[in-house]
Amino acid sequence: MKNKRSIIKSTFPAEQRIVLKRAGIIDPDSIEEYIVHDGYFALGKVLTEMKPDKVIFILKESNLRGRGGAGFPTGTKWGFVAGTKADKKYVICNADESEPGTYKDRLILEGDPHSIIEAMVIAGYAVGADEGYIYVRGEYKLVQTRLLNAIKQAKEMGFLGENIFNSGYKFDLHIHAGAGAYICGEETALIESIEGKRGEPRPRPPYPTTNGLWDKPTLVNNVETLANVAPIIRNGAEWFKSFGTPSSAGTKVFNIMGNVNSTGSIEVPMGITLRDVISIYAKGLKDGAVLKLAQTGGSSGSIIPADLQDVPMDYNSFANAGVSMGSGALLICSEKTCVVDLAKVLLNFFRFESCGKCNPCRIGNQRAYQILLRISEGLGSMKDLDDLQDISKWLYEMSNCGLGQTAGSPLKDILNHFRAEVEAHIVKKECSAGVCSMSGISPTSN
């Protein structure tokens, strides 16, 4: 029992926990403990007191935005699915979470699995669906075990299945394990995977809200997004908007990594600054080092210089500054980090994870990696910078899905914010961080 409760032992100050409120407090394998901590109260309220359109209205009023990275208004997406007429609809929880450095959804699912089940039943009722899937990252074995146990318990208690809360509403739920493909985090590739096909993105439009799983209207939400639903129903939209900023209500779970004194996960109100995250929660950089850059949102996020650390971390403020919120992973780096090496590592990841369906992503990522590898070996030319700029633009404008569209972000960011350092690798054959070999040995093209 002790191990089950020790998922999160936070000593961080001034956190505001909504989605992680129970994680590390209750036994995740006990539905009774979940119920004692307000579990399934929101579902009971929805099914016995509220019409579907009222549920969607509250979500819209709350200003909850998708926590998977895009930040799309949750209530609006629910409204799209609800407004589409069909004989069958689905709800999908995207728990693939293959973004390197991101594990926020894992914490929620391992520590509080019933919160996602409750939210999915509420979502199904609101949009008119009677069946759902939780698409779980294949490596998350403990998550799968706990979800299967939670589903079994919820069925035995009458929170899943037929005639829930004697309302006449029914909802069934399935677990689908992924097979390690990063591309399946993209919602249409995920849907293809559930259907038993190769995980490749579909052309959009049409969108899943009208033509999703088996061509039926489908609601796809991230784990963290869904974990906010029951608290909003219980406490109201105004309560939720009391946290965060006008454009981005509520809290955000961040994963702190890198050259800092304290790593781990925090849940804090949207709008906090990177400076506060580093000084308060990460307890500063190791050995008194100076912040050089941070990568926000995992591999597909933004690489930002230290002079942007006071931008509020909410969707609108970040967007206005040209920064991506992404998944919530924060990689904090000191002067010992080389931007060329960092970009090379990221593009290496993207070239391997590209599904290969579209030329810009399949060829562009490979070509960008080869250029960065050459620059890191002291063999680059100034023309390479123009090529990287072009590849970044083509990836964004021409790729079929979000993987390719965001793969060029590291290229764009290092040229926008750290161009002098990249040029030094080419002109002076110098790596200020001492990371690149600058050996002048021609790299292979594999």
Side-chain angles (χ1 to χ4, degrees):
M1 184 71 70
K2 182 178 179 180
N3 289 337
K4 293 178 182 178
R5 297 173 186 268
S6 61
I7 298 170
I8 300 175
K9 286 187 176 180
S10 174
T11 57
F12 296 124
E15 282 192 72
Q16 178 59 55
R17 292 191 169 183
I18 296 176
V19 304
L20 292 176
K21 186 175 182 179
R22 301 185 192 89
I25 304 298
I26 67 170
D27 175 4
D29 285 326
S30 171
I31 191 172
E32 291 83 5
E33 289 197 26
Y34 179 74
I35 292 171
V36 167
H37 288 78
D38 298 324
Y40 292 109
F41 175 85
L43 177 59
K45 180 178 180 180
V46 164
L47 293 184
T48 60
E49 301 177 15
M50 302 171 67
K51 299 291 186 183
D53 59 351
K54 179 63 174 179
V55 178
I56 295 174
F57 174 79
I58 290 175
L59 273 223
K60 288 181 178 179
E61 285 292 296
S62 73
N63 200 20
L64 172 65
R65 298 174 66 168
R67 299 299 198 248
F72 192 82
T74 303
T76 300
K77 181 184 280 190
W78 286 30
F80 289 158
V81 180
T84 303
K85 294 185 177 182
D87 59 347
K88 181 75 174 180
K89 297 181 183 180
Y90 296 95
V91 174
I92 295 177
C93 171
N94 185 346
D96 188 56
E97 194 170 48
S98 297
E99 191 77 47
T102 305
Y103 50 91
K104 64 183 181 63
D105 294 345
R106 176 184 174 184
L107 294 178
I108 297 168
L109 291 167
E110 286 187 358
D112 197 12
H114 283 282
S115 66
I116 303 306
I117 295 173
E118 181 176 13
M120 291 187 72
V121 181
I122 293 172
Y125 173 75
V127 304
D130 63 0
E131 193 171 0
Y133 287 83
I134 304 178
Y135 190 98
V136 183
R137 179 176 174 176
E139 295 88 341
Y140 284 0
K141 301 301 183 184
L142 182 57
V143 167
Q144 295 172 44
T145 298
R146 289 188 172 166
L147 281 172
L148 287 170
N149 178 65
I151 288 173
K152 178 176 178 291
Q153 292 176 337
K155 287 181 177 179
E156 291 173 349
M157 286 270 193
F159 301 127
L160 274 176
E162 302 285 335
N163 196 26
I164 304 171
F165 278 98
N166 294 317
S167 64
Y169 176 67
K170 66 176 183 178
F171 190 83
D172 201 8
L173 191 56
H174 316 280
I175 304 297
H176 188 102
Y182 174 71
I183 188 62
C184 287
E186 197 277 335
E187 61 180 8
T188 62
L190 179 154
I191 289 171
E192 290 281 289
S193 178
I194 293 177
E195 293 182 357
K197 305 171 188 174
R198 181 179 178 181
E200 291 184 343
R202 297 175 178 177
R204 296 185 297 178
Y207 294 91
T209 51
T210 58
N211 300 82
L213 187 61
W214 289 295
D215 206 36
K216 302 296 183 181
T218 303
L219 175 67
V220 184
N221 278 143
N222 171 261
V223 172
E224 187 182 356
T225 307
L226 289 168
N228 281 288
V229 170
I232 290 172
I233 297 298
R234 288 199 310 269
N235 300 292
E238 292 303 316
W239 166 83
F240 189 72
K241 288 193 289 187
S242 69
F243 307 104
T245 67
S247 70
S248 307
T251 60
K252 184 76 186 76
V253 179
F254 292 104
N255 303 137
I256 305 173
M257 305 163 289
N259 190 39
V260 293
N261 289 308
S262 183
T263 59
S265 295
I266 59 171
E267 183 181 353
V268 289
M270 297 280 270
I272 193 171
T273 64
L274 181 61
R275 184 187 297 276
D276 284 343
V277 168
I278 294 173
S279 62
I280 298 173
Y281 300 103
K283 297 179 171 56
L285 274 74
K286 289 181 179 178
D287 303 321
V290 176
L291 175 68
K292 176 178 181 178
L293 62 88
Q295 186 178 31
T296 64
S299 296
S300 60
S302 299
I303 298 174
I304 64 172
D307 58 12
L308 290 180
Q309 64 182 307
D310 291 314
V311 176
M313 290 199 291
D314 64 68
Y315 291 107
N316 284 19
S317 298
F318 259 24
N320 291 336
V323 179
S324 168
M325 176 74 71
S327 61
L330 299 175
L331 177 63
I332 313 301
C333 301
S334 69
E335 294 293 333
K336 296 180 180 180
T337 300
C338 169
V339 296
V340 173
D341 184 66
L342 176 58
K344 182 179 68 175
V345 170
L346 296 172
L347 268 296
N348 188 41
F349 171 77
F350 286 128
R351 75 182 180 122
F352 275 111
E353 291 296 341
S354 172
C355 74
K357 183 175 182 178
C358 67
N359 289 341
C361 183
R362 182 181 68 252
I363 300 173
N365 283 305
Q366 175 69 15
R367 178 63 179 148
Y369 171 76
Q370 291 172 335
I371 293 173
L372 290 167
L373 187 58
R374 188 167 62 240
I375 292 174
S376 72
E377 294 287 347
L379 297 169
S381 68
M382 293 301 290
K383 182 180 180 301
D384 286 334
L385 304 188
D386 294 332
D387 290 343
L388 289 176
Q389 195 83 53
D390 288 342
I391 291 172
S392 173
K393 179 181 178 182
W394 295 335
L395 281 167
Y396 177 75
E397 293 181 351
M398 301 171 64
S399 292
N400 191 50
C401 79
L403 188 158
Q405 291 163 8
T406 57
S409 296
L411 308 177
K412 174 176 64 69
D413 291 339
I414 66 169
L415 294 177
N416 283 349
H417 302 302
F418 301 97
R419 190 181 185 93
E421 181 178 340
V422 182
E423 289 181 352
H425 283 70
I426 298 171
V427 178
K428 300 180 180 179
K429 313 298 183 186
E430 292 179 356
C431 175
S432 60
V435 174
C436 298
S437 66
M438 311 303 291
S439 63
I441 300 173
S442 180
T444 62
S445 60
N446 64 342

